[in-house]
Amino acid sequence: MTALFENAIPLAALYGLIAVGYVVIYRASGVLNFAHGGLMVLGAFIGFALAGIGIVGIVVFPLVILAGAAIGGLFYRLAMRPMAGQPVWAAVLVTIGFGFFVVIGIVQMIWSPRIRDFSGDLGFANGNHEVLGLRFSTIELVLIASFVVVEAALLAFYRWSRSGIRMRAASQDHHLSAYRGINIDIVFALAWGIATGLVMYVGFAYSVDARLDMGAIGALALKAFPAALAGGMDSVGGVVAGALVIAFAEVYVQLEVDPLLAEAVPYLALLLVLIVRPWGLFGTPEAVDRV
Amino acid sequence: MSSVSRGAGYFHRTYSQDLQQVNTRIRRVGLAGLIVLVLLLPTLVSGQYVDLAAQSAIAVVGALALNILTGYAGQLSLGHAALLGVGGFATGIAATEVGVPWPLDIAVAMVAGAVVGFVLGLPALRLRGLYLVLATVAAHFIAVYAFSHYQSSRSGIVGLTGMTLDRPAIGTFEFNTPTRWYYLLVAVAAVVALYNVNVLRTRPGRAWIAIRDRDLVASALGIAVVRYKLTAFVLSSSLAALAGSLLVYYNGSVSAESYTLNLAITYLVMVIVGGLGSTAGAIVGAIFVTCSLRLLTFALEALNTSSQFQTDYLIPLQVVLFGVLTVGFLLFEPRGLIGIWNRLRTYVELWPFGRRPLAERRR
């Protein structure tokens, strides 16, 4: 029982953080961003490169987020903005081409494709802590705390801040909000920046905790799709429920049934959600493109 | 006989003229030249290029299969690698464990592909667009789980590296050289291409295009959307399984690790780079994607042959270039290579020939 909670809660935080990135971008531009895996790898390598030149571990995290925000905004401007007017799947394929191939290839050329273990380079020990009778590593606790903070911050952002309200308006109707004087380019670039900064930070934190394994990170990013969809692709709060359900189901199967099957569990859940309730637990039914 | 005369429009005076595929002298000469070139290719180039050509032929079959589903019926799928895998594993199981003789196991694989395609198509009856893409991604990973589960349940070397297949043979004629393979694969690819061209002119083909362009209108016009969507999935999956089957015979082995999401993306990119919804486009795209990266590798290998250099820079460079190719085509030429070709043709027809081009060309 403790093993289930010790493994599933950090995994839920990981899925949740990645899935929130999907939701922010989906709400803004209606695009599924398949580039998250590649961006997480990029975040990890940028983080370790910064740590390698002697920057203290604590400072590296905000720098990675800033780098991610810049990259996300730039990616929107250079690759997503020109896709306006094209079918949405074309934009999705652009994110696939960028995330699966361009970013990964460049990272491999600069830093080598091998699995790396950097956890010693950071200047602080990733120790174990006991919380409520469960043992978590420092980074796992940081990830769980980040997930809570990010959820609260995003909900508040959408609810009260001017930019957040603009973002909501723009996602409801691009044209109408543009007529009312909202600069939708800036709003969307902001959404891409937030999401990219977030996932690059998650990629870095995850690689500190485990190892920097591109294949594992890519698989993790894809398995966060079921979490986002189960909660509702357009629901920031729903992600919490989606991530918990998917993570607990996966870890339960991993521990009790078959580790190989556990890899397929999120996708089985995804199919189930798509068939039964495609808009997810907390999403809006109209947001789904159904036949 | 010629249905096109200079500067006079495009007249098809009889129904048989309209049905003709190769209806002008230029087309007849071009087709004959192409056939001669394809037949003579193994005598013109060295072994590794014949090998590349054979792989391109398999890719053509796979891309044509995906083109039915994505290009004609408009159902975007990232489950293509899983279908190739179904073909591969069905072949492997039929040949090595059940003992089905050679050409029959490919037929078994196609039937298996059709069945899986039917199941894969069921979500498409409820979902479209990005949600369907997610469903096919999920199907991909579930299929890959099934493959690796099957593989790891076998004992010994099969459990570790997958099944190995004997070289197929007709009588005493064994397919053991790239050249022999090349002719077989090109023949199969040609048949599949011909089938593709013709199926477009049948009722299902027209139904697919109607569904792709607007499924609501299609159903209002009395097209059985559900039936034809499933038909597209079944046909496409069956042909994909054929490609997967040929691929494992060509490689001589089946292994779950080779069916990655990247493979599915590669096939989708072939179809898009060639030109979505065009048979010629799928063929050109498959050949272009298969060859361009490999030719680049050959060139760079000639410059520097250390294997360290290859793993550190060549393979990543291929990956980057593939991504740039994908993004570049989507951003700057969404109609693909066939779009470029049609534009060039229109340009040349207007000047110097002064002929009014057709509004839009497909095929």
Side-chain angles (χ1 to χ4, degrees):
Chain A
M1 220 28 205
T2 49
L4 177 64
F5 281 93
E6 279 173 1
N7 287 303
I9 293 175
L11 189 64
L14 265 176
Y15 284 163
L17 284 165
I18 303 167
V20 156
Y22 290 138
V23 169
V24 168
I25 286 174
Y26 186 81
R27 277 180 72 131
S29 28
V31 171
L32 298 178
N33 183 14
F34 275 85
H36 275 183
L39 291 167
M40 285 170 71
V41 171
L42 183 64
F45 273 107
I46 288 179
F48 287 120
L50 291 173
I53 59 172
I55 298 173
V56 193
I58 305 301
V59 188
V60 173
F61 284 96
L63 285 179
V64 169
I65 296 176
L66 284 181
I71 289 169
L74 262 181
F75 178 70
Y76 169 76
R77 185 62 197 86
L78 296 179
M80 285 294 115
R81 186 69 187 80
M83 296 306 288
Q86 302 272 6
V88 178
W89 58 259
V92 174
L93 273 177
V94 169
T95 69
I96 291 180
F98 177 73
F100 277 59
F101 299 102
V102 177
V103 171
I104 292 288
I106 288 175
V107 163
Q108 286 180 346
M109 276 167 88
I110 301 178
W111 285 293
S112 115
R114 285 179 287 276
I115 296 174
R116 307 274 281 268
D117 189 354
F118 290 97
S119 39
D121 303 6
L122 221 61
F124 70 86
N126 188 16
N128 281 314
H129 308 274
E130 197 159 310
V131 184
L132 301 171
L134 303 169
R135 297 179 67 80
F136 297 111
S137 71
T138 313
I139 294 290
E140 282 172 352
L141 285 177
V142 168
L143 281 173
I144 295 165
S146 314
F147 183 39
V148 175
V149 170
V150 165
E151 275 293 329
L154 274 179
L155 285 173
F157 171 75
Y158 278 122
R159 179 79 180 76
W160 287 299
S161 83
R162 281 186 85 81
S163 310
I165 292 166
R166 283 191 186 125
M167 211 176 273
R168 269 184 11 218
S171 66
Q172 270 185 12
D173 194 316
H174 299 188
H175 296 287
L176 214 54
S177 48
Y179 291 144
R180 299 293 293 169
I182 293 172
N183 188 337
I184 54 172
D185 262 353
I186 288 179
V187 168
F188 289 170
L190 185 65
W192 280 84
I194 291 173
T196 309
L198 183 64
V199 291
M200 281 179 59
Y201 157 75
V202 177
F204 178 53
Y206 171 76
S207 311
V208 173
D209 194 43
R211 294 175 307 172
L212 209 176
D213 178 348
M214 292 187 188
I217 292 179
L220 196 71
L222 282 173
K223 281 192 288 183
F225 270 121
L229 199 86
M233 274 314 291
D234 58 344
S235 159
V236 173
V239 167
V240 181
L244 283 172
V245 168
I246 300 289
F248 270 90
E250 182 183 340
V251 173
Y252 178 79
V253 172
Q254 189 182 13
L255 294 174
E256 304 289 331
V257 189
D258 175 14
L260 203 57
L261 178 63
E263 290 296 304
V265 162
Y267 298 108
L268 289 167
L270 174 62
L271 275 188
L272 186 73
V273 172
L274 281 176
I275 291 164
V276 178
R277 199 179 158 91
W279 54 93
L281 293 169
F282 297 97
T284 36
E286 303 90 77
V288 180
D289 203 5
R290 293 187 77 188
V291 175
Chain B
M1 205 39 208
S2 167
S3 58
V4 177
S5 53
R6 248 175 75 181
Y10 296 79
F11 297 126
H12 292 177
R13 291 186 185 82
T14 63
Y15 186 55
S16 68
Q17 254 180 4
D18 194 39
L19 280 182
Q20 258 183 337
Q21 290 286 4
V22 187
N23 53 2
T24 64
R25 191 185 298 143
I26 290 177
R27 282 186 179 163
R28 276 192 290 273
V29 172
L31 185 69
L34 188 69
I35 290 173
V36 170
L37 184 72
V38 165
L39 288 179
L40 288 182
L41 188 80
T43 62
L44 299 176
V45 296
S46 66
Q48 62 178 2
Y49 293 101
V50 179
D51 170 57
L52 185 56
Q55 286 184 18
S56 305
I58 299 175
V60 165
V61 177
L64 285 171
L66 185 61
N67 192 42
I68 289 184
L69 186 61
T70 302
Y72 297 158
Q75 310 293 308
L76 205 62
S77 161
L78 281 175
H80 205 61
L83 293 167
L84 293 173
V86 167
F89 268 83
T91 309
I93 294 167
T96 63
E97 296 185 7
V98 185
V100 179
W102 170 55
L104 272 182
D105 55 4
I106 294 184
V108 169
M110 288 179 73
V111 173
V115 172
V116 174
F118 183 83
V119 177
L120 192 67
L122 291 178
L125 306 182
R126 298 255 292 173
L127 306 160
R128 73 175 146 226
L130 298 183
Y131 285 81
L132 181 62
V133 174
L134 275 183
T136 59
V137 170
H140 167 86
F141 282 102
I142 293 166
V144 167
Y145 158 72
F147 300 153
S148 27
H149 180 77
Y150 180 81
Q151 194 170 315
S152 63
S153 69
R154 302 290 105 173
S155 58
I157 193 79
V158 174
L160 290 174
T161 57
M163 292 172 275
T164 48
L165 292 164
D166 295 331
R167 293 261 165 237
I170 300 173
T172 54
F173 184 85
E174 200 178 339
F175 288 97
N176 51 8
T177 64
T179 310
R180 288 174 176 185
W181 266 113
Y182 169 79
Y183 285 119
L184 175 70
L185 294 171
V186 164
V188 174
V191 171
V192 173
L194 192 63
Y195 175 75
N196 244 267
V197 170
N198 278 327
V199 82
L200 251 204
R201 314 196 295 176
T202 61
R203 176 183 283 267
R206 288 190 300 269
W208 293 335
I209 292 172
I211 292 170
R212 173 192 68 193
D213 289 347
R214 200 86 183 94
D215 50 359
L216 278 179
V217 176
S219 72
L221 288 172
I223 292 168
V225 174
V226 167
R227 190 166 97 216
Y228 286 115
K229 265 189 186 175
L230 280 178
T231 316
F233 268 96
V234 167
L235 263 178
S236 158
S237 308
S238 163
L239 288 176
L242 170 66
S245 186
L246 293 172
L247 191 65
V248 295
Y249 263 122
Y250 190 73
N251 293 333
S253 65
V254 199
S255 163
E257 285 76 46
S258 47
Y259 302 108
T260 58
L261 192 61
N262 282 13
L263 185 65
I265 297 168
T266 308
Y267 272 96
L268 201 52
V269 169
M270 284 177 191
V271 177
I272 287 165
V273 163
L276 210 54
S278 145
T279 307
I283 297 170
V284 172
I287 296 172
F288 180 77
V289 169
T290 316
C291 292
S292 58
L293 298 175
R294 280 287 291 282
L295 291 177
L296 182 88
T297 323
F298 288 157
L300 288 172
E301 267 172 357
L303 291 176
N304 187 332
T305 49
S306 90
S307 65
Q308 186 62 37
F309 173 79
Q310 283 188 27
T311 51
D312 280 0
Y313 294 104
L314 264 190
I315 297 166
L317 182 66
Q318 271 197 6
V319 173
V320 173
L321 285 176
F322 182 77
V324 169
L325 191 81
T326 309
V327 175
F329 264 94
L330 285 165
L331 281 177
F332 303 116
E333 190 50 71
R335 279 157 192 263
L337 290 167
I338 223 70
I340 297 176
W341 164 248
N342 280 341
R343 221 169 33 237
L344 268 176
R345 229 174 92 168
T346 307
Y347 184 91
V348 170
E349 278 179 3
L350 277 170
W351 183 88
F353 291 110
R355 185 191 300 156
R356 207 154 63 98
L358 291 172
E360 192 179 1
R361 286 201 177 82
R362 296 201 189 277
R363 219 182 277 161

